[in-house]
DNA sequence: TGTGAGTTGATTTTT
DNA sequence: TCAACTCACA
């Protein structure tokens, strides 16, 4: 079909170069669509091209909704769509984010206020512990974890406290029946939700408000759901409710990659999609464009052992590639060392770059030895997860202040910070305060306002609490300021920074560095959301980020992550470690056929991330709680086509095949030449800050050290210049002003020439705001 | 009230 | 292995 050149250019871009199957999916417009996409089959390409095509067909972007499971996936989709279509107004994001947004609008429908807090797992756990105590429940045969999981399961299956019915004689069920209502009540009292509530509340909202449901159905006429195999009942209900009048629902997924059953994901959703939606068009994307034939065969053989699946034929036109390696190491240490040595060898030989490699493991705890080994071989790496940035104590402390400022009913936040830093409000006083609050049915903060009236409270404690409330109110005056400024004030006025600065401990210095990162994150947020008054949104964003979001594809580092986090990614060389019985499959999943299949899928996901080379390994001995224990190889290994793989026992002395890299010389260099190691180590550390943009969360080898280095270096170079660069000024810094004398920077906000600093001067405690770039402020002399 | 030593108990995966 | 929690003491 010939049209004018200008008009035809775009459609041609979008539809060109697609296989018949892909084209079928991309050009599908109305009605339900199921895309069964095997690994590496170009799924993201199909999805983005299809959205572009919808837009091309004149469908307004506002009517399109694309739901993903991770922010990373959403960002990736956005980026790729942006290359196809200018400025799409399509809403793309995670289920949880979408629900949070909807819930803010309709909070009152479910008994919340719009400024509700989102509690993370730890917050929710605390609240659950209180609920357990409240109900006087003693756990004998269950853990709090188990109870939390059961409640989460109920919520994911749309069981509200009223609807929950335990199986008869089921111990855990009986506990849940008692505690679940109390827990939910507390959440409501605190004007808070947990992660599961985001979905549950929205599902409820849609079910109980026909008119609202119809309105939203009409608004989101074209819905896409990525990773549909991982949806749970609540998510299913939401998507379903929005696709009744306009059943233009397109889902993509792969039953073989469903790895979130433990989170309530229901494989039936995808397996029975065709029953749910009559007239569905099914497109199968089976050709793999990622992996070599050798890798794909291994993946295929493994997954064939699953019974509950849709048979799919994986094939590729890619080259055969080297055989998949299966190595047995004596110990976990040898495993880690040898992998690091192999990578180092390849990198030094110039054959590969660090970023070409990924190491996957079943549990986070397994990352430690690998980290050590990589560090020993001076290889830069990024580790996804570990201790998540937003889960760190200092970050949670500061955020708790913000949470309480945003939602004064958030008792969990108050409990967290009422005595942090220490202000002489001890456990006993807090307990009395809580008791008073409980009796009067007040949020803790309200109770604290009346501390003078609480009889049980000693004079000193009452006064300390009153001071805390005064501090809170003072900070409250700044809630509409830019977030970075608010965080700065919190750090200064609460004395939090001062305590850390005065501390000698290494740990606290690291905390300071982390807080510096939080300030950077706040600053970046302010830049994206100018004008201030977006505290709530900032908190929401920080609650809903996941650790996998921290992974950066651009950085030249070896990637370490769990198999779960690996989904959706791709690397030339992949190592999967600890393929041992009890770890993969995990022992908690070993004895249940359904769970075992999920473990097999997990391994399948890991294998199919590799495009060129794959190594599976296990060790004869592995440390378990500090003790070396003999291991048993994973039964999954027996299911692989071992006759065509490179199966090797490893002694460390044997002549090694050429792919092993130069193990011997490497080991010698490290052992013999300690000074060289140190030198290279320093190099690595100095490189670090540049390689990692400020706001990104990852466990760096030594945040305190690295950021100390930049700051000091920064200061030295900048100070020698005639004009002081604005970037010199940091939160908490002591500065000099020709007219007002010395003072402390208590807050900073804005950027470039508009960057403002609020300085509190020592002489009269007055606060003044300066445009940093044009002020006469100078950093005070450091002795 | 805060601190430090000592004990205990737990470790799957994540929005 | 390690972090969180308890208990005794200042």
């Amino acid at each position: 079909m010939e049209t004018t050149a200008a008009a035809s250019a775009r459609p041609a871009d979008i539809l060109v170069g697609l296989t018949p199957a892909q084209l079928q999916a991309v050009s599908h417009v109305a009605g339900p669509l199921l895309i069964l996409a095997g690994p590496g089959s170009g799924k993201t390409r199909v999805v983005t091209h299809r959205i572009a095509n919808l837009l091309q067909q004149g469908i307004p972007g506002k009517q399109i909704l694309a739901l993903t499971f991770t922010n990373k996936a959403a960002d990736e989709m956005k980026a790729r769509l942006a290359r196809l279509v200018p400025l799409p107004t399509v809403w793309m994001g995670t289920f949880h984010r979408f629900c949070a947004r909807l819930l803010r609008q309709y909070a009152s429908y479910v008994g919340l206020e719009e400024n509700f807090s989102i509690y993370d797992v730890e917050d929710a756990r605390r609240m659950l512990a209180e609920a357990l105590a409240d109900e006087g429940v003693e756990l004998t045969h269950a853990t709090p974890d188990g109870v939390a999981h059961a409640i989460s399961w109920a919520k994911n299956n749309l069981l509200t406290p009223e609807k929950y019915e335990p199986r008869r004689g089921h111990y855990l069920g009986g506990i849940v029946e008692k505690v679940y209502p109390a827990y939910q009540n507390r959440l409501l009292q605190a004007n808070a939700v947990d992660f599961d509530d985001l979905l549950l509340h929205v599902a409820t909202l849609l079910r109980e408000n026909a008119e609202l449901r119809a309105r939203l159905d009409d608004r989101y006429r074209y819905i896409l759901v990525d990773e549909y195999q991982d949806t749970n009942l609540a998510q299913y209900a939401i998507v379903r409710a929005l696709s009744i009048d306009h059943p233009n629902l397109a889902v993509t997924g792969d039953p073989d990659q469903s790895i979130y059953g433990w989170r309530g994901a229901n494989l039936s959703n995808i397996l029975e999609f065709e029953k749910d939606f009559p007239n569905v068009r099914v497109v199968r994307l089976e050709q793999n464009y990622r992996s070599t034939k050798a890798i794909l065969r291994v993946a295929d053989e493994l997954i064939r052992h699953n019974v509950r699946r849709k048979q799919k034929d994986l094939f590729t036109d890619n080259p055969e590639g080297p055989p998949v390696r299966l190595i047995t190491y004596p110990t976990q240490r040898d495993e880690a060392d040898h992998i690091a040595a192999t990578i180092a060898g390849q990198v030094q030989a110039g054959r590969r770059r660090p970023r070409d490699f990924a190491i996957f493991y079943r549990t986070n705890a397994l990352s430690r030895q690998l980290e050590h080994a990589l560090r020993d071989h001076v290889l830069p790496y990024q580790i996804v997860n570990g201790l998540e940035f937003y889960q760190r104590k200092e970050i949670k402390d500061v955020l708790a202040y913000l949470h309480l400022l945003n939602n004064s009913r958030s008792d969990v936040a108050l409990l967290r910070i009422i005595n942090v830093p220490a202000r002489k409000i001890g456990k006993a006083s807090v307990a009395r305060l809580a008791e008073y609050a409980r009796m009067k049915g007040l949020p803790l903060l309200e109770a604290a306002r009346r501390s003078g009236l609480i009889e049980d409270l000693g004079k000193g404690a009452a006064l300390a609490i009153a001071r805390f409330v005064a501090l809170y109110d003072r900070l409250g005056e700044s809630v509409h300021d830019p977030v970075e400024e608010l965080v700065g004030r919190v750090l200064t006025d609460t004395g939090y920074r001062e305590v850390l600065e005065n501390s000698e401990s290494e740990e606290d210095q690291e905390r300071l560095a982390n807080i510096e990162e939080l300030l950077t994150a706040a600053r970046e947020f302010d830049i994206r959301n100018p004008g201030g008054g977006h505290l709530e949104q900032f908190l929401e964003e920080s609650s809903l980020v996941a650790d996998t979001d921290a992974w950066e594809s651009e950085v030249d580092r070896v990637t370490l992550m769990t198999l779960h986090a690996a989904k959706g990614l791709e690397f030339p060389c992949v190592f999967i470690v600890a393929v041992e019985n009890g770890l993969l499959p995990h022992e908690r999943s070993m004895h249940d056929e359904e769970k075992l299949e999920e473990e097999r899928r997990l391994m399948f996901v890991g294998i199919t991330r590799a495009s060129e080379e794959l190594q599976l390994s296990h060790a004869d001995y592995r440390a378990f709680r500090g003790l070396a224990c003999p291991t048993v190889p994973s039964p999954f290994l027996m299911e692989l086509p071992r006759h065509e793989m490179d199966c090797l026992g490893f002694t460390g002395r044997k002549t090694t095949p050429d792919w092993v890299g130069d193990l011997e010389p490497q080991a010698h260099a490290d052992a013999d030449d300690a000074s060289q190691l140190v030198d290279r180590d320093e190099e690595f550390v100095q490189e670090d800050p540049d390689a990692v943009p400020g706001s990104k969360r990852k466990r760096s080898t030594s945040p305190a050290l690295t950021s100390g280095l930049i700051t000091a270096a920064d200061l030295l170079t900048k100070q020698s210049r005639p004009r002081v660069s604005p970037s010199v000024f940091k939160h908490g810094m002591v500065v000099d002003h020709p007219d007002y004398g010395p003072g402390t920077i208590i807050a900073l906000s804005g950027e470039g020439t508009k960057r403002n600093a609020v300085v509190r001067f020592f002489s009269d405690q007055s606060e003044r705001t300066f445009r940093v770039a044009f002020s006469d402020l100078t950093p005070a002399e450091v002795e």
Side-chain angles (χ1 to χ4, degrees), chain A residues 314-375:
Chain A
L314 300 175
F315 64 96
T316 183
D317 287 340
N318 287 344
E320 169 64 24
V324 171
R325 307 193 294 269
L326 171 57
I327 305 192
T328 307
Y329 295 101
T331 70
Q332 57 181 351
R333 221 206 157 100
D334 299 308
E335 182 182 52
D337 271 354
H338 181 243
I339 288 173
T342 305
I343 296 174
Q346 297 268 346
V347 170
Q348 275 157 25
R351 264 177 295 204
R352 299 236 184 242
R353 299 151 47 112
R355 63 188 285 180
D356 294 336
F357 298 93
I359 309 175
F360 302 149
Y361 35 81
R362 176 65 232 264
T363 68
N364 280 304
L366 291 168
S367 69
R368 185 162 310 242
Q369 306 89 306
L370 293 162
E371 281 183 75
H372 277 299
L374 289 169
R375 233 176 289 164

Side-chain angles (χ1 to χ4, degrees), chain A residues 1-155:
Chain A
M1 178 173 124
E2 287 288 307
T3 43
T4 64
S8 68
R10 290 231 144 257
D13 279 355
I14 290 165
L15 299 179
V16 90
L18 299 171
T19 64
Q22 290 178 336
L23 187 64
Q24 214 186 8
V26 168
S27 56
H28 179 97
V29 176
L33 170 68
L34 169 63
I35 302 172
L36 288 169
S41 61
K43 181 195 62 180
T44 308
R45 180 149 181 256
V46 167
V47 171
T48 49
H49 281 244
R50 176 161 179 269
I51 296 174
N53 188 52
L54 290 176
L55 294 167
Q56 207 87 90
Q57 301 289 321
I59 291 161
K62 277 170 48 186
Q63 295 183 0
I64 303 174
L65 172 66
L67 296 171
T68 63
F69 277 80
T70 63
N71 296 303
K72 189 181 67 190
D75 291 344
E76 165 85 7
M77 215 182 262
K78 273 182 212 160
R80 294 192 40 183
L81 184 62
R83 275 186 250 150
L84 295 173
V85 199
L87 295 176
T89 50
V90 180
W91 200 92
M92 293 180 159
T94 63
F95 264 101
H96 287 83
R97 224 174 257 261
F98 174 69
C99 289
R101 206 186 65 141
L102 220 54
L103 207 51
R104 294 266 178 228
Q105 272 178 63
Y106 304 104
S108 61
Y109 286 53
V110 293
L112 292 165
E113 286 170 45
E114 57 159 35
N115 63 333
F116 64 82
S117 304
I118 301 170
Y119 281 180
D120 68 15
V121 176
E122 190 193 332
D123 298 334
R125 190 74 52 76
R126 280 173 194 242
M127 181 146 279
L128 179 63
E130 285 167 25
L132 281 166
D134 255 18
E135 297 299 296
V137 177
E138 292 274 330
L139 293 176
T140 50
H141 299 286
T143 59
D145 244 12
V147 179
H149 188 259
I151 291 178
S152 170
W153 181 89
K155 288 185 174 182

